[in-house]
Amino acid sequence: MKRTSKPVKVTLAHINDTHSYFEPSALQLTVDLDGNAITPYVSAGGFARIAARRNQLKQHASEQGRHFLFLHAGDCFQGTLYFSLFKGKANADMLSALNLDAMTIGNHELDMGNEPVVNFAKRIGFPLLAGNWDISQELTTKTCRLNDCENIKPYQPQTNTATYIVKEFDEEPVAIFGLSLDKMMDIAQPDTDTPFVNAIQVARNTVEQLNKQGINKIILLSHLGYEGDMDLAEQVKGISLIVGGHSHKLQGDFSSLGLGKDDEYGLKVNDTRIVQAGFHSLTMGHCEIDFSESGEVTHFTGKNELLLGRQLFLNASMDQVATDDTYRRVRQLIDNHPNVSVCKKDHDTQAILVEKYMPKVRELQRDIIGYAPRKLRHVRLPDEKGASEIAPLVAESFLFTLGQDGIELDFAIHNAGGVRNSLNEGKISTADIAGKLLPFAVPIGYYSVSGHTIAAILEGAIDNAINNGVEGTGSGSYPYTYNLKFDYLASQPQGKRIANLLVYKDEQWQSVKPDTIYRGTSSAYTMKGKEGYNAILNTVGTVGTTQYSMADCMVTFLKDDPNKLAKVCRHFTQVTS
């Protein structure tokens, strides 16, 4: 006898790309007050606020007779010192404290292969949805195996479908499955015996399988990126809601806070709603979804919220509280913003952080190694305001640090995605570098290549970053350099897009000769030839990897001269004036 479906009302909260940002961040807002731009700092986000807001939303849902779900759309690894120092252990404990119903796999969970994911999965208290991750051929000789983790829900090769979970609400099933980037091998380090397969085909087959079982209320937890979510919604029917991540998309209007305006929350593509909630634990999305008997979404309303504390600050260190009448009026404007939630911290979640993980982090936060006289901006792709001011310094730090060890080099190249944020004005600590700016635990290496290969490296990386003639993996591949200058001619044929390539050598700029061998340095990630850097594999002679991480190099670089950032700021001011 065929089961009779019933309508269901669900309140769903979601986060994504939290990247180990367990503590609140100092966020600068821009608020218009009587025609004047006021730029206070606020204490924004953090897991204790997420937990508190989650509890409020669940309580409110219960009072309205609604069911509740809380989902994470991937990329919890990397990002801060909490990952650098504790790897996935801190993430497992802090995410479990949030009482998630499920999470999907992000690409940064796989920056260091499968083993950290196994250790993470064994520690968490919720399912890890990985519906297009084929682990069926995983080697049995491994000591750390994904197949030993019952809470990992992988691809099913027999049916070409995702393993899904079902939540029963008033005896009515709501299915949730997860998908991740099927180009995972191009941007991360999954073990070669556990590939990712085509997400759209898996989604189509999974929806069909669920429908045959009489389940028509379907949620996809996605780490495909915003464009990927829209593409999937165009091609696959029957998914009610896609909860997404990867693109750091903050849907909604935050322009009156100086944070911009993007697509409306819950973008509708065909009959599918798409939501995504920013990044770094600053914000949280939530929506009310009413499903009809047939699985159609008959009511949808929701928003992203910036989670804030109650005080305004005059600086990024948040040690100078703003209290005069101007700031009281600004505070009122902020508090009344429809996309702001002022909330306290959940005591139990905060206690885990304070007692288990915070002491080691505080030690490094007290180690001051430099000072920035103004904000130093980082962007992946150069825009109308200019290029990254930080990524070239990071590249320079590689060459500087290896030079301290007597390794003679001509140039450095670093991908923009390896730098994670801008630097605020004020004191710079080891924690700022190793925990925020350069959190990825990736070593630096060195290599020798021809001048022709240097041009091919740069061209391939930029082509990938801007999708020029190739289907790229994102803007993070854009190359920033030290001791190299060049022009990129986008309209030229492939192989001829780098012009006027110069190297600084023998205390002067000189043309790079195609057949001359030059010695360079980059991160070990870049040296693997991923994300458009495949030409870097055409090395000549010795290739080496050092014991220095990206953060080690930048810390060494700044400690050599604490006034270095001040000199850089003067240089940029002179160049752009």
Side-chain angles (χ1 to χ4, degrees), residues 30-39 330:
T30 301
V31 179
D32 184 280
L33 183 67
D34 301 330
N36 296 312
I38 310 299
T39 56
V330 169

Side-chain angles (χ1 to χ4, degrees), residues 308-362:
L308 300 183
R310 297 188 178 279
Q311 293 182 312
L312 296 182
F313 301 92
L314 297 175
N315 57 3
S317 301
M318 296 194 295
D319 55 9
Q320 298 179 38
V321 179
T323 57
D324 66 23
D325 183 62
T326 295
Y327 284 97
R328 280 193 291 271
R329 292 171 63 198
V330 169
R331 178 79 253 186
Q332 189 173 24
L333 289 174
I334 294 171
D335 291 352
N336 290 332
H337 193 285
N339 292 345
V340 164
S341 176
V342 179
C343 51
K344 295 181 179 179
K345 298 174 184 176
D346 176 71
H347 178 269
D348 293 340
T349 306
Q350 184 71 2
I352 296 171
L353 190 63
V354 171
E355 294 168 12
K356 296 182 69 172
Y357 300 112
M358 195 177 285
K360 270 195 172 183
V361 169
R362 290 291 181 264

